[in-house]
Amino acid sequence: MKDLIVNFIGAIVFSVIGILYLRNRGKGKLAASLIPQVRSKQEEELSSKDQ
């Protein structure tokens, strides 16, 4: 039962984050940092050279 409560709380938290993301049209940094983005080969090469 405890795992269902934890899952419910997590779903509520991410739903609120999603609603705020949609209302602000993606201007927020929190939701944008949680959404994975596909990078091109060129971007990957540049980031690997920086490290």
Side-chain angles (χ1 to χ4, degrees), residues 13-29:
V13 168
F14 278 95
S15 295
V16 169
I17 290 172
I19 289 170
L20 294 174
Y21 178 77
L22 291 175
R23 283 191 180 172
N24 294 326
R25 299 180 188 216
K27 294 178 186 174
K29 292 182 182 181

Side-chain angles (χ1 to χ4, degrees), residues 45-51:
E45 290 173 359
L46 289 175
S47 66
S48 65
K49 288 180 183 178
D50 292 340
Q51 294 177 357

Side-chain angles (χ1 to χ4, degrees), residues 1-46:
M1 185 68 176
K2 290 179 185 176
D3 61 332
L4 291 175
I5 294 171
V6 170
N7 288 340
F8 176 73
I9 292 170
I12 295 294
V13 168
F14 278 95
S15 295
V16 169
I17 290 172
I19 289 170
L20 294 174
Y21 178 77
L22 291 175
R23 283 191 180 172
N24 294 326
R25 299 180 188 216
K27 294 178 186 174
K29 292 182 182 181
L30 177 63
S33 66
L34 297 174
I35 299 172
Q37 297 176 355
V38 178
R39 297 190 315 188
S40 68
K41 294 265 187 191
Q42 189 176 31
E43 289 174 336
E44 288 182 19
E45 290 173 359
L46 289 175

